[in-house]
Structures are given as C-alpha cells and as structure tokens.
Amino acid sequence: MIDQGRGIPPDQLDRIFERFHQAQDVQRRDAEGAGLGLYIAKELVERMGGEIRVRSTVGEGSTFTVTVPGAPADLPASAARS
C-alpha cells in the first residue's frame, strides 16, 4: 500500500508496529486512533509466515509492503476480495 500522506519521521519507524504506538511530531492529524492497526496487521501477517515492511519519507508519504508465503504475486484483485 502506498499513501501520499505526511510520512513517518525516521526515528519513529522502528516503533510503528508496537501496540498503542502513535508517531509523534506529525504536523497535523485529522483523526486519532488507538495505535493498534499496524500492530494487528503485523501480528496477522507474521502468523501467516509473512513479513510487513515500511519505507517512509516525511512530507512525501509511506509505502507498506506485505509478503506472505504461498500467496500468488499475480492474484487478480477480484480473486483477492472473495
């Protein structure tokens, strides 16, 4: 997934998958969360034997990459929803 949001400060990247963690020093937030979404995503991906990675640049956005063993790389979007 790629977004074009505010990005995540470099000093926060190692912590964003921690339970209840919310990135600090973000210029403005439209909505507050509980800090559980990325933690839950990481737990689910790892339980399937996969990996989740993030690259981010402040002011440009973030890219999250999820890999899961045995998941076809070229699965059509319609099949992924069923």
Side-chain angles (χ1 to χ4, degrees):
M1 177 181 104
I2 300 173
D3 74 32
Q4 296 175 335
R6 294 175 191 86
I8 302 163
D11 63 331
Q12 298 289 310
L13 285 174
D14 340 347
R15 300 195 60 217
I16 63 167
F17 295 107
E18 292 177 8
R19 189 182 321 193
F20 303 118
H21 180 74
Q22 295 179 345
Q24 303 300 313
D25 299 322
V26 176
Q27 296 159 336
R28 178 177 62 88
R29 289 189 187 192
D30 295 327
E32 292 285 331
L36 290 171
L38 290 174
Y39 168 78
I40 292 170
K42 183 177 186 237
E43 289 293 310
L44 289 171
V45 168
E46 287 179 350
R47 287 178 190 228
M48 291 185 283
E51 178 182 34
I52 185 168
R53 296 181 310 272
V54 62
R55 288 182 312 148
S56 188
T57 303
V58 174
E60 293 182 21
S62 304
T63 301
F64 290 86
T65 305
V66 175
T67 54
V68 179
D74 56 350
L75 186 66
S78 60
R81 285 179 265 197
S82 42

